[in-house]
Every structure is written in C-alpha cells, then in structure tokens.
Amino acid sequence: MAAVIAAMVAIAATQSPWRTAKVGSDHLWLAVTLAVLAVVAVPLLFRYSRRRGRTSRLVGGGVIAVGLLGVVAVLVLAPDTNPAIGVGWRVPLVFASAVLLIVAGAAALAASLSAEPAGAQWLPAIAVPVVLVLLMVFAVEPGGRAYLLDTNESLSGPRGPVESNPRSELTGETAWSSRSFGYTSDGFRNAISTPSGIATARTTGAVEMLDPVTGVLRWRYSRSDATGVPDLSLIDGGRLLLAEFDGVGYLVLDAATGARKSAWPYGTRDHDIQNADPLLTGETVGKGSDKLRGVDADGNDRWTFEPGRCTTISATATADTALVFLNRSCGKANEVLALDVHSGRKLWDHGSEWLRDSLVSGGLFVGLRSSKELAAVEARTGDVKWHRDLPSGLGCDTQIEQAGAQIVVLNCPAGKDKIQTVVTVINAADGSVAWQQTGSLNRERPAVTADARVASLMRATNGSCELHVIEQSGYRKAVVPEDVRCNLGVRAVGNTVIARGEDTIIGLR
C-alpha cells in the first residue's frame, strides 16, 4: 500500500511546478522516474514480501535504496529561493513519494526476515491502508504546506518603533515620499491605518508597513509563491494584519514586526472577508446554500449560518452583533437579520432590506432606510434609536462615510453643479448635527479622515492640481506638487492623507 500511494503522489508531482517561476530545470524526470519505479515495485513487493530468502531481501532493500536516492536527489536539487523565485509543490511531493518507498521497502524487508511467513490477517490488511491514508491527509499534506510557507517567505525589518500617528494639516505640501520598484498597484487604494503605521500592498506578493510620519519602510513581508497584489484587513484590534495571497490563502501577520503568526486552513482560500474585526467570512457554493461564518483569528470556525438556496449574503458587525443582508433570487423575500457574533444565535430579523450602506459606530448600525432617511439601529435589539430626514430634491445620490464616532453625509444641492457638495457631520450616538459646510469636491474619489475632514483632488482652470478641503471651519483649496497624479485622487489613512506619484506613495503635510 505504501508503494501504491508513493506512485500516486509521484504522479501528482508531475503535474506540479518545481519552482514558482519558470526558470531553470523543472526536474520532471525525477517525479516520472519515481512514479515508474513505484508502479514496478507494487507487484514485486506484493509477491516477494510474503516469502523468505535472498530474492525477497534484495527486493525490499532495492526499494529502500530507490527511496533513499530520491530523498538525496530532492535535498541536492531543491531550488534556492529569493523574493522572485520560490519552491513549488513538486519538491515536497517527490520527497513524500521517496519516503513512502522507504516505508514500503522496510516493511517488505521486515516481513522477509520474520521467523514465520506472513499469513492473511484481515485486521492489518484494513488498518495499514487506513493509517497510510490518514498520514497523507494529516501529516504529508500539512507538512508540505508548512514547508512551502516557510521556504517561500521573506521578511526584512522591522526598523525602530513607530512614531505617533500624525495628522495631515492639508496644506498641499509633501511630508514624505515612499518609492516602490516593480510596482503593480498604485499602493494607496488598499492602504490601511494601523497602530504600527500605514500598511499597504503595491507589489506582487508583498505587504509593506510605512512609518506614517516619515514614510520610511518599517518592514516588508514578501512571498515568492504568490501571484497578484494581496488584499489586506486589520483584525484583533489592529494588532494583526490578515493578508490574502493569491495561490497561497490567508496569512496572519504581526502588524508591529511583519512576522507570520499563523496560516488559515487550506480550505478557506476561496472564502470572502465580510467583516474584518470581528471576523466574518462568506462562502459561495455551486450547490446547496451559501454560508456565513464566525471565524477566529487562526481561521477556525466558531459557527456557520446557512440561509438556503438562491440567497447571496453580505454582512457587517459590531463587537458582538452581525448584521446580515440576505438577497434572495427565488422563493422568499429579501431579509435583514442579526446574529450573535460569538455563537451565531439569531437575535432579530426584518422582512425586507430596510437599512442600506450600513456603517458601525459603537453598538449601533447606521445606514439609509431610504433615499430620504438616515437611521441608527440598536445592534442587539433592532430598535431604531434615532432617524433624520434627508433634504428633498437632491442633485445626486447620498453617500455616507464613517469618521470615528461621527457619520459624514455627502449630498449635492438641488439644481447646482454636481461638484458642489454639502458635507453634514452627524454624531452617531444621538443623531445630532455636529457641523455642516458646502464646497467643491470630486465626489467619485473623496477622502474622509478619522476626524471628519473631506478632501479630494481637482484640476484648476490653469491646469494645476488642487487639493479641495471641506472641514468644520469651512472650505479651502491648496495647490499640490507637480509629481502628484491628480487623476488618481487621494486617500485618508486615519488622519493622514496620501496621494500617488509616478512610482511613489506621497504623504501630504
């Protein structure tokens, strides 16, 4: 049985890459050779392991020798790694195949040297294959994945403690510039604010942490086996980063140092992050019901919610309550319900989708009940705590953004140019208006800081790029440096506002 499984593993190895990049030899011959020898070994072992004598010992010893040669070949030929080239699955699979051949040969040799010929015993005949399969599932596959996770990662840094998170005064000047080489993303649309700095992903398979005051690279975690730019989420109160690497899955990184803390189970690669902190994931299936899960930081499920067929799921959450939107395409009507984050227990539900674009503030869900009403709902009970009527006759759709404990509402005055924007800042706790101002904004890419300032980039009539800012004190403009790419807009990361240069991220003063 060990030889049979060795042949299957070697055949699987022929379909896997030796390196993550197609450079140099892929050593396909090694996997093919082991597969052929394992197939030949099966009938020989089956016949001679039941006998005693010189031929039986030679067969067992020969299979052991083939396995040992395979192990040595893998150790000698295993590719060196760097940030661009890593180890592929063929390496651990060939190694596992060689080890299984050693096991098969050793078992046959032990049987041929035993005092009595092996008889037909039904219990070992059943137990041994079961044990071998369990070893493949719970030892070989996890061991191979752990080997690839360790071998294909690179970490530089960290460099010194992070300085306090700064506040961009939005004067239009440059505070710092961080250059990236070989970038594949603009690097600031996926940037997020953490207690350890500004986390961003702007190159294939890499996560970077920038100092928010100086823009200096604090640490860089990269993988040579990943494709595409990873998606980032902040979990565990900002202490951990959850990075989704294409081809690898979800990895948890320490936000302060970049060190990998854990890897989510392999089966979670296709799950979507519905809410980051607390963690909720969604799974779309071809048959049966889509699923929503409450997940721990290590990727293990606490509970699973299945709403039935023909239903898509989206969710957001407070610290203890998940608000779930069910969009049904057949049968039942759409539904909004709340689940306990820790247990998945249903708390309340409403028969229709009545709260759109929901934001979380403390223990409240704040969103649009219609195009004319903004409301806040108690998370645990579903009761409306407060609501506000929106102005009638607006010139554009209402947008809402979160700014700490406040909600920023963006509207267009009726009958005016759509670059004119009314910014209304509402205290989420009681629905009172903190302040309201009007100014010109690019509403397609506004940046809202944690302290409720709204900024965007727009071209002036003379061709220069201007930063437009609406804040509590009023509306103002400032010219930004020429190296800022005006058409890409700005992004707020906490109270720091960043822009994009030709191959740089630019922090604005």
Side-chain angles (χ1 to χ4, degrees), residues 442-458:
N442 180 351
R443 284 175 49 83
E444 292 184 2
R445 284 186 291 272
V448 179
T449 63
D451 57 3
R453 293 171 295 158
V454 184
S456 69
L457 293 178
M458 297 177 63

Side-chain angles (χ1 to χ4, degrees), residues 375-398:
V377 174
E378 293 279 1
R380 300 299 288 181
T381 65
D383 297 334
V384 176
K385 183 172 183 180
W386 58 260
H387 65 93
R388 293 192 63 85
D389 292 332
L390 300 175
S392 59
L394 298 175
C396 57
D397 293 334
T398 299

Side-chain angles (χ1 to χ4, degrees), residues 454-503:
V454 184
S456 69
L457 293 178
M458 297 177 63
R459 287 287 181 190
T461 54
N462 62 3
S464 63
C465 184
E466 293 180 334
L467 181 68
H468 293 236
V469 182
I470 300 177
E471 54 194 348
Q472 186 170 4
S473 59
Y475 165 66
R476 57 187 174 87
K477 296 185 289 185
V479 177
V480 298
E482 292 183 358
D483 55 343
V484 171
R485 298 184 64 178
C486 199
N487 61 313
L488 295 179
V490 288
R491 179 175 175 82
V493 186
N495 282 320
T496 301
V497 176
I498 57 177
R500 165 77 188 277
E502 184 62 33
D503 56 0

Side-chain angles (χ1 to χ4, degrees), residues 132-148:
L132 288 172
V133 171
L134 291 176
L135 284 174
M136 289 298 301
V137 173
F138 294 106
V140 174
E141 193 279 334
R145 189 183 183 217
Y147 166 74
L148 294 179

Side-chain angles (χ1 to χ4, degrees), residues 46-59:
F46 184 79
R47 178 178 181 182
Y48 287 103
S49 64
R50 298 166 179 264
R51 302 180 181 182
R52 287 179 293 175
R54 184 169 178 270
T55 303
S56 297
R57 294 192 293 273
L58 285 175
V59 169

Side-chain angles (χ1 to χ4, degrees), residues 264-285:
W264 280 20
Y266 201 60
T268 62
R269 286 190 306 168
D270 297 327
H271 295 183
D272 299 321
I273 303 299
Q274 293 287 341
N275 193 83
D277 201 7
L279 269 166
L280 302 174
T281 65
E283 180 187 5
T284 302
V285 299

Side-chain angles (χ1 to χ4, degrees), residues 17-22 84-88 152 224-226:
W18 183 261
R19 292 180 173 86
T20 56
K22 294 182 179 180
I85 301 174
V87 177
N152 290 322
S224 54
D225 55 355

Side-chain angles (χ1 to χ4, degrees), residues 150-176:
D150 290 337
T151 305
N152 290 322
E153 69 182 356
S154 175
L155 176 63
S156 58
R159 295 183 175 90
V162 65
E163 299 188 34
S164 59
N165 285 326
R167 180 181 188 272
S168 295
E169 297 300 331
L170 302 181
T171 61
E173 300 172 299
T174 296
W176 50 263

